[in-house]
Amino acid sequence: MKMKKYIFIIAAMFLAISANAQIVVNSRFKSMTFDEMAAPLIMAQRFQQECLNNLDALAEQTEQAEQFISEEKDPATWEVYADCYNSIIDEYNSILKNGTNQGTRRAISDLRRQSSSLLASIKAAYDRRNRLSNDQYARLRAVDGLMCNRFFSDISIDEFMNGKTPTVTYQTREEYNAAHR
């Protein structure tokens, strides 16, 4: 009788334990391969490298402004250019140091827009100065004795930015001599 009692107790304990246990039958779990586990990291590394490549290309594109402006002759325009260029370099260094984040794509897009706008403005000012300078030389050659107070080619790009055109006055030698007697 004692034996039946022990068997009954053991059976009851087994039932109590198995009631809380779960047996997995026909599991759908599939272990991941190394490639599947590494895929997010590889994608993040590719995105980071893509961002760095984009910023590198943007820095090279922005450097094209240096052919149109001079730090000494065009200080205001140079300062805007330098701020834009330094922002690109700062973003590049930030990605190297901290990696990418949710704002990286937008920051690069904003920098691209800022750089393109700046380059277009500088190029337009440079072209306007050259066109006015060519017109000015043609006018001075066409009218004998015509003089001007300054040459467009000597004027800073700063004065041509944002669609501005500096004022240049013209007078003949006779008008000049009459005014300075």
Side-chain angles (χ1 to χ4, degrees), residues 6 8 29 37 42 68 102 105 140 142:
Y6 286 121
F8 180 72
F29 174 78
M37 287 188 289
I42 291 169
F68 303 115
Q102 291 178 341
R105 192 178 308 272
L140 291 172

Side-chain angles (χ1 to χ4, degrees), residues 53-68:
N53 291 343
N54 286 340
L55 287 169
D56 193 35
L58 187 57
E60 285 181 25
Q61 175 188 341
T62 305
E63 286 175 347
Q64 292 177 10
E66 291 184 27
Q67 65 184 315
F68 303 115

Side-chain angles (χ1 to χ4, degrees), residues 77 128 150 155-161 163-167:
T77 304
R128 188 170 43 264
R150 60 188 186 160
I155 300 173
S156 170
I157 290 287
D158 295 348
E159 294 187 53
F160 291 91
M161 289 297 288
K164 296 183 215 167
T165 302
T167 304

